[in-house]
Amino acid sequence: MAEIRPFRGLRFTDKAGDIAELTCPPYDIISESQRQEYLRVNPCNVIRLELPREGEDPYAQAGETLRRWEEEGLLRRDTQPGLYIYEEEFRSAVTEGEVKKVKGFICRVKAEPFSKGTVLPHEETLSKAKADRLNLMKATGCNFSQIYSLYMDEGHVTRERLDNLSKDTPRYEFSDGLVTHRLWIVNDPVAIQAICDDFAGRKLYIADGHHRYETAVNFSQYCHENGIAPEGGEADYVMMMLVDMEHEGLVVFPTHRLVRNLENFDVQAVLNGCQEHFEITAMTDTSCIQENLQALYEAGKKAFAFYAGGETWYLLTLRDLAVMAELLPDKSEASQGLDVTVLHSLVLEKLMGIDKENMANQVNLTYTRSLEEALESVQKGESQCTFILNPTRVTEIRDVAAAGEKMPQKSTYFYPKLITGLVMNEMELEK
């Protein structure tokens, strides 16, 4: 099943500066102004490599920068192969102020097509994002950020190994203001082999990084076809963070839907159409949206909030889930029961005419994980309405992936995101 390996990680040296000033969040949640600020604080921040914008050919520039930083001793590969235990400690509104920790480890995983059934996706992907990441990999031969995946381990054997191996002082420990990051390096061959053996019968479920994983598969094929790397070589593997699926520190945020520029949009027509399958409750205080949704979430109900401006919002609660089996008979119960599937099928597609192609191209539909941002977008007239959702459960992600199906785009948002730049995976390739 899942084939994992240790690797000689590429890491910043002290010469580059403080590690807290060299790392950054994932590239796809960083604005240009934030990018510039990271580089202002330290010009060697990994964002220069992960999200290149300089020069006529930014990808080639990233490759040149990578090589120059290695030559200057700002970056150096570890001398021994290892596994990298990574822990994030955090609190958020979702955790109601409770401090949580999530711990896993970073390794190389063999990148195989989803059809092999070893690494399983749960979301659809966009072609533009994959082209961008492939161009960067071609120019640099390096993974700067890790894919986030989950695994099942009922006895928590691997987690116990990780806890035992991370009792000493971490190599890195720092806070970015929201999250405290810690990294331990494991070089003991016996310990490494034991962890690798744990995964002989396991599958991996991608939590975050679908585009990068598909890109890694494409890059491997590109290297084989062009004689850049042999089959079974380093180009066949991608850097990945692996976390126990039952880890109590896992937190998933909901991703809310914003509707914009829809012709003939009519609030009353949407509400009238929803009456067929939903209980509709008009509410007047938007500050209680999350509280109401949470109560229905805990009761196992399928519900979301509908807001189209003004003082009133509407709580939509599905009366009978059986309608989803009638509507999507070819889908598994796991897919039929997703909140996002209910919303997309019964409301966005059926009542508002926003089909899957429209959603994929984000013509009339955009996304945000911020409740406040969703409401403000409608109040400012930027969006016509918003649908506020509950988070997808981790078990739902597992069940949909195990059924060989995918959720709609932007169905999950794991928090916190993995930081970029603690360790990187540079591949030995024929240039």
Side-chain angles (χ1 to χ4, degrees), residues 6 16 134 141 255 273 277 372 406 411:
L134 183 58
T255 305
H277 299 296
E372 292 74 18
K406 296 179 182 178
S411 295

Side-chain angles (χ1 to χ4, degrees), residues 255-260 362-368 377 383:
T255 305
H256 312 304
R257 273 55 181 160
L258 290 161
V259 176
R260 63 183 182 183
Q362 297 188 26
V363 176
N364 296 115
L365 196 68
T366 57
Y367 310 89
T368 177
S377 179
S383 299

Side-chain angles (χ1 to χ4, degrees), residues 326-369:
E326 297 173 10
L327 189 64
L328 302 172
D330 298 331
K331 293 291 187 180
S332 67
E333 288 186 14
S335 287
Q336 292 169 2
L338 293 171
D339 287 32
V340 290
T341 303
V342 172
L343 173 63
H344 283 214
S345 301
L346 294 178
V347 181
L348 296 181
E349 293 182 47
K350 184 179 179 181
L351 299 179
M352 304 178 80
I354 304 175
D355 61 24
K356 290 181 174 58
E357 183 178 354
N358 184 308
M359 293 179 192
N361 295 321
Q362 297 188 26
V363 176
N364 296 115
L365 196 68
T366 57
Y367 310 89
T368 177
R369 67 177 179 86

Side-chain angles (χ1 to χ4, degrees), residues 388-409:
I388 307 300
L389 282 77
N390 274 317
T392 303
R393 302 176 195 272
V394 176
T395 51
E396 292 176 320
I397 297 168
R398 176 200 65 199
D399 293 344
V400 169
E405 297 170 342
K406 296 179 182 178
M407 298 180 184
Q409 293 151 351

Side-chain angles (χ1 to χ4, degrees), residues 295-308:
L296 291 168
Y297 179 81
E298 293 174 356
K301 301 287 187 179
K302 306 300 171 185
F304 32 84
F306 172 56
Y307 177 69

